[in-house]
Amino acid sequence: GDVFATARALPDVNRRLQDIIATYPGWHWEHDDPVSAPSPPAYERLEAITVPTLVIVGERDIADFKDVAGVLAKRIPGAKLRTLPGVGHLSNMQAPAAFNQTVLDFLAGLPGLREPDGPDASESV
């Protein structure tokens, strides 16, 4: 579908996506979900979220996901919405440096957190 169109346009990302899809077992399509849905639904409790929240969406993601990102950012108190330019639904795979920098910038703005260090700090999320 269109949700992965921008990812498929990048050969390296497309290969990784194909690997993910090929190895995904699809368990939930063949079995009943053993997890009970929360009551009330999470959607009805977004305003109760009290932790710092970053919502990231790709500029070229499908309209439904951009709408969801907008709702999350609007209804979660203090949430920050960041739109990554030129990428779609798999923004962390399509633009890992921009994605990681966006997360690091968000974290750096939180009180009491220090900058990450060590070899894993620059790896792709």
Side-chain angles (χ1 to χ4, degrees), residues 3-15:
V3 72
F4 296 126
T6 58
R8 279 194 235 102
L10 301 169
D12 289 343
V13 175
N14 187 46
R15 276 192 293 281

mmCIF file with all atom_site columns, all heavy atoms in Angstrom, residues 3-15:
data_model
loop_
_atom_site.group_PDB
_atom_site.id
_atom_site.type_symbol
_atom_site.label_atom_id
_atom_site.label_alt_id
_atom_site.label_comp_id
_atom_site.label_asym_id
_atom_site.label_entity_id
_atom_site.label_seq_id
_atom_site.pdbx_PDB_ins_code
_atom_site.Cartn_x
_atom_site.Cartn_y
_atom_site.Cartn_z
_atom_site.occupancy
_atom_site.B_iso_or_equiv
_atom_site.pdbx_formal_charge
_atom_site.auth_seq_id
_atom_site.auth_comp_id
_atom_site.auth_asym_id
_atom_site.auth_atom_id
_atom_site.pdbx_PDB_model_num
ATOM 1   N N   . VAL A 1 3  ? 1.379  3.298  2.298  1.00 0.00 ? 3  VAL A N   1
ATOM 2   C CA  . VAL A 1 3  ? 2.080  3.609  3.543  1.00 0.00 ? 3  VAL A CA  1
ATOM 3   C C   . VAL A 1 3  ? 3.591  3.397  3.419  1.00 0.00 ? 3  VAL A C   1
ATOM 4   O O   . VAL A 1 3  ? 4.366  4.089  4.050  1.00 0.00 ? 3  VAL A O   1
ATOM 5   C CB  . VAL A 1 3  ? 1.481  2.822  4.732  1.00 0.00 ? 3  VAL A CB  1
ATOM 6   C CG1 . VAL A 1 3  ? 1.827  1.360  4.663  1.00 0.00 ? 3  VAL A CG1 1
ATOM 7   C CG2 . VAL A 1 3  ? 1.928  3.413  6.049  1.00 0.00 ? 3  VAL A CG2 1
ATOM 8   N N   . PHE A 1 4  ? 4.019  2.465  2.567  1.00 0.00 ? 4  PHE A N   1
ATOM 9   C CA  . PHE A 1 4  ? 5.446  2.187  2.422  1.00 0.00 ? 4  PHE A CA  1
ATOM 10  C C   . PHE A 1 4  ? 6.016  2.667  1.084  1.00 0.00 ? 4  PHE A C   1
ATOM 11  O O   . PHE A 1 4  ? 7.150  2.332  0.746  1.00 0.00 ? 4  PHE A O   1
ATOM 12  C CB  . PHE A 1 4  ? 5.720  0.692  2.579  1.00 0.00 ? 4  PHE A CB  1
ATOM 13  C CG  . PHE A 1 4  ? 5.385  0.163  3.951  1.00 0.00 ? 4  PHE A CG  1
ATOM 14  C CD1 . PHE A 1 4  ? 4.540  -0.921 4.093  1.00 0.00 ? 4  PHE A CD1 1
ATOM 15  C CD2 . PHE A 1 4  ? 5.917  0.745  5.089  1.00 0.00 ? 4  PHE A CD2 1
ATOM 16  C CE1 . PHE A 1 4  ? 4.226  -1.414 5.349  1.00 0.00 ? 4  PHE A CE1 1
ATOM 17  C CE2 . PHE A 1 4  ? 5.610  0.260  6.351  1.00 0.00 ? 4  PHE A CE2 1
ATOM 18  C CZ  . PHE A 1 4  ? 4.764  -0.821 6.487  1.00 0.00 ? 4  PHE A CZ  1
ATOM 19  N N   . ALA A 1 5  ? 5.280  3.456  0.347  1.00 0.00 ? 5  ALA A N   1
ATOM 20  C CA  . ALA A 1 5  ? 5.723  3.891  -0.981 1.00 0.00 ? 5  ALA A CA  1
ATOM 21  C C   . ALA A 1 5  ? 7.054  4.637  -0.931 1.00 0.00 ? 5  ALA A C   1
ATOM 22  O O   . ALA A 1 5  ? 7.954  4.368  -1.729 1.00 0.00 ? 5  ALA A O   1
ATOM 23  C CB  . ALA A 1 5  ? 4.651  4.747  -1.653 1.00 0.00 ? 5  ALA A CB  1
ATOM 24  N N   . THR A 1 6  ? 7.208  5.558  -0.001 1.00 0.00 ? 6  THR A N   1
ATOM 25  C CA  . THR A 1 6  ? 8.451  6.329  0.059  1.00 0.00 ? 6  THR A CA  1
ATOM 26  C C   . THR A 1 6  ? 9.614  5.459  0.513  1.00 0.00 ? 6  THR A C   1
ATOM 27  O O   . THR A 1 6  ? 10.748 5.681  0.107  1.00 0.00 ? 6  THR A O   1
ATOM 28  C CB  . THR A 1 6  ? 8.317  7.551  0.984  1.00 0.00 ? 6  THR A CB  1
ATOM 29  O OG1 . THR A 1 6  ? 7.937  7.125  2.289  1.00 0.00 ? 6  THR A OG1 1
ATOM 30  C CG2 . THR A 1 6  ? 7.293  8.533  0.444  1.00 0.00 ? 6  THR A CG2 1
ATOM 31  N N   . ALA A 1 7  ? 9.341  4.460  1.353  1.00 0.00 ? 7  ALA A N   1
ATOM 32  C CA  . ALA A 1 7  ? 10.400 3.548  1.796  1.00 0.00 ? 7  ALA A CA  1
ATOM 33  C C   . ALA A 1 7  ? 10.871 2.674  0.641  1.00 0.00 ? 7  ALA A C   1
ATOM 34  O O   . ALA A 1 7  ? 12.065 2.401  0.495  1.00 0.00 ? 7  ALA A O   1
ATOM 35  C CB  . ALA A 1 7  ? 9.907  2.680  2.951  1.00 0.00 ? 7  ALA A CB  1
ATOM 36  N N   . ARG A 1 8  ? 9.928  2.231  -0.189 1.00 0.00 ? 8  ARG A N   1
ATOM 37  C CA  . ARG A 1 8  ? 10.292 1.368  -1.315 1.00 0.00 ? 8  ARG A CA  1
ATOM 38  C C   . ARG A 1 8  ? 11.135 2.091  -2.352 1.00 0.00 ? 8  ARG A C   1
ATOM 39  O O   . ARG A 1 8  ? 11.857 1.461  -3.115 1.00 0.00 ? 8  ARG A O   1
ATOM 40  C CB  . ARG A 1 8  ? 9.036  0.795  -1.971 1.00 0.00 ? 8  ARG A CB  1
ATOM 41  C CG  . ARG A 1 8  ? 8.506  -0.381 -1.214 1.00 0.00 ? 8  ARG A CG  1
ATOM 42  C CD  . ARG A 1 8  ? 7.475  -1.144 -2.049 1.00 0.00 ? 8  ARG A CD  1
ATOM 43  N NE  . ARG A 1 8  ? 6.255  -1.225 -1.271 1.00 0.00 ? 8  ARG A NE  1
ATOM 44  C CZ  . ARG A 1 8  ? 5.168  -0.474 -1.440 1.00 0.00 ? 8  ARG A CZ  1
ATOM 45  N NH1 . ARG A 1 8  ? 5.112  0.406  -2.395 1.00 0.00 ? 8  ARG A NH1 1
ATOM 46  N NH2 . ARG A 1 8  ? 4.130  -0.620 -0.666 1.00 0.00 ? 8  ARG A NH2 1
ATOM 47  N N   . ALA A 1 9  ? 11.078 3.411  -2.364 1.00 0.00 ? 9  ALA A N   1
ATOM 48  C CA  . ALA A 1 9  ? 11.847 4.190  -3.342 1.00 0.00 ? 9  ALA A CA  1
ATOM 49  C C   . ALA A 1 9  ? 13.336 4.245  -2.996 1.00 0.00 ? 9  ALA A C   1
ATOM 50  O O   . ALA A 1 9  ? 14.142 4.639  -3.840 1.00 0.00 ? 9  ALA A O   1
ATOM 51  C CB  . ALA A 1 9  ? 11.278 5.608  -3.427 1.00 0.00 ? 9  ALA A CB  1
ATOM 52  N N   . LEU A 1 10 ? 13.701 3.842  -1.797 1.00 0.00 ? 10 LEU A N   1
ATOM 53  C CA  . LEU A 1 10 ? 15.102 3.842  -1.370 1.00 0.00 ? 10 LEU A CA  1
ATOM 54  C C   . LEU A 1 10 ? 15.585 2.396  -1.295 1.00 0.00 ? 10 LEU A C   1
ATOM 55  O O   . LEU A 1 10 ? 15.122 1.639  -0.436 1.00 0.00 ? 10 LEU A O   1
ATOM 56  C CB  . LEU A 1 10 ? 15.243 4.517  -0.011 1.00 0.00 ? 10 LEU A CB  1
ATOM 57  C CG  . LEU A 1 10 ? 14.769 5.968  0.059  1.00 0.00 ? 10 LEU A CG  1
ATOM 58  C CD1 . LEU A 1 10 ? 14.705 6.450  1.496  1.00 0.00 ? 10 LEU A CD1 1
ATOM 59  C CD2 . LEU A 1 10 ? 15.676 6.861  -0.771 1.00 0.00 ? 10 LEU A CD2 1
ATOM 60  N N   . PRO A 1 11 ? 16.504 1.983  -2.178 1.00 0.00 ? 11 PRO A N   1
ATOM 61  C CA  . PRO A 1 11 ? 16.894 0.574  -2.246 1.00 0.00 ? 11 PRO A CA  1
ATOM 62  C C   . PRO A 1 11 ? 17.314 -0.051 -0.913 1.00 0.00 ? 11 PRO A C   1
ATOM 63  O O   . PRO A 1 11 ? 16.878 -1.155 -0.586 1.00 0.00 ? 11 PRO A O   1
ATOM 64  C CB  . PRO A 1 11 ? 18.046 0.565  -3.253 1.00 0.00 ? 11 PRO A CB  1
ATOM 65  C CG  . PRO A 1 11 ? 17.789 1.757  -4.121 1.00 0.00 ? 11 PRO A CG  1
ATOM 66  C CD  . PRO A 1 11 ? 17.176 2.787  -3.213 1.00 0.00 ? 11 PRO A CD  1
ATOM 67  N N   . ASP A 1 12 ? 18.137 0.628  -0.144 1.00 0.00 ? 12 ASP A N   1
ATOM 68  C CA  . ASP A 1 12 ? 18.582 0.060  1.137  1.00 0.00 ? 12 ASP A CA  1
ATOM 69  C C   . ASP A 1 12 ? 17.418 -0.097 2.109  1.00 0.00 ? 12 ASP A C   1
ATOM 70  O O   . ASP A 1 12 ? 17.296 -1.112 2.801  1.00 0.00 ? 12 ASP A O   1
ATOM 71  C CB  . ASP A 1 12 ? 19.675 0.917  1.779  1.00 0.00 ? 12 ASP A CB  1
ATOM 72  C CG  . ASP A 1 12 ? 20.995 0.817  1.034  1.00 0.00 ? 12 ASP A CG  1
ATOM 73  O OD1 . ASP A 1 12 ? 21.169 -0.132 0.244  1.00 0.00 ? 12 ASP A OD1 1
ATOM 74  O OD2 . ASP A 1 12 ? 21.847 1.697  1.234  1.00 0.00 ? 12 ASP A OD2 1
ATOM 75  N N   . VAL A 1 13 ? 16.572 0.911  2.181  1.00 0.00 ? 13 VAL A N   1
ATOM 76  C CA  . VAL A 1 13 ? 15.421 0.851  3.078  1.00 0.00 ? 13 VAL A CA  1
ATOM 77  C C   . VAL A 1 13 ? 14.445 -0.217 2.579  1.00 0.00 ? 13 VAL A C   1
ATOM 78  O O   . VAL A 1 13 ? 13.894 -0.986 3.370  1.00 0.00 ? 13 VAL A O   1
ATOM 79  C CB  . VAL A 1 13 ? 14.732 2.223  3.201  1.00 0.00 ? 13 VAL A CB  1
ATOM 80  C CG1 . VAL A 1 13 ? 13.463 2.133  4.031  1.00 0.00 ? 13 VAL A CG1 1
ATOM 81  C CG2 . VAL A 1 13 ? 15.692 3.251  3.799  1.00 0.00 ? 13 VAL A CG2 1
ATOM 82  N N   . ASN A 1 14 ? 14.246 -0.289 1.276  1.00 0.00 ? 14 ASN A N   1
ATOM 83  C CA  . ASN A 1 14 ? 13.346 -1.293 0.713  1.00 0.00 ? 14 ASN A CA  1
ATOM 84  C C   . ASN A 1 14 ? 13.811 -2.714 1.044  1.00 0.00 ? 14 ASN A C   1
ATOM 85  O O   . ASN A 1 14 ? 13.001 -3.578 1.407  1.00 0.00 ? 14 ASN A O   1
ATOM 86  C CB  . ASN A 1 14 ? 13.205 -1.116 -0.797 1.00 0.00 ? 14 ASN A CB  1
ATOM 87  C CG  . ASN A 1 14 ? 12.150 -2.039 -1.368 1.00 0.00 ? 14 ASN A CG  1
ATOM 88  O OD1 . ASN A 1 14 ? 11.053 -2.152 -0.819 1.00 0.00 ? 14 ASN A OD1 1
ATOM 89  N ND2 . ASN A 1 14 ? 12.490 -2.706 -2.455 1.00 0.00 ? 14 ASN A ND2 1
ATOM 90  N N   . ARG A 1 15 ? 15.103 -2.963 0.945  1.00 0.00 ? 15 ARG A N   1
ATOM 91  C CA  . ARG A 1 15 ? 15.632 -4.296 1.303  1.00 0.00 ? 15 ARG A CA  1
ATOM 92  C C   . ARG A 1 15 ? 15.345 -4.626 2.768  1.00 0.00 ? 15 ARG A C   1
ATOM 93  O O   . ARG A 1 15 ? 14.913 -5.732 3.090  1.00 0.00 ? 15 ARG A O   1
ATOM 94  C CB  . ARG A 1 15 ? 17.137 -4.366 1.026  1.00 0.00 ? 15 ARG A CB  1
ATOM 95  C CG  . ARG A 1 15 ? 17.486 -4.708 -0.411 1.00 0.00 ? 15 ARG A CG  1
ATOM 96  C CD  . ARG A 1 15 ? 18.961 -5.043 -0.576 1.00 0.00 ? 15 ARG A CD  1
ATOM 97  N NE  . ARG A 1 15 ? 19.838 -3.890 -0.354 1.00 0.00 ? 15 ARG A NE  1
ATOM 98  C CZ  . ARG A 1 15 ? 20.053 -2.935 -1.256 1.00 0.00 ? 15 ARG A CZ  1
ATOM 99  N NH1 . ARG A 1 15 ? 19.468 -2.983 -2.434 1.00 0.00 ? 15 ARG A NH1 1
ATOM 100 N NH2 . ARG A 1 15 ? 20.855 -1.931 -0.980 1.00 0.00 ? 15 ARG A NH2 1
#
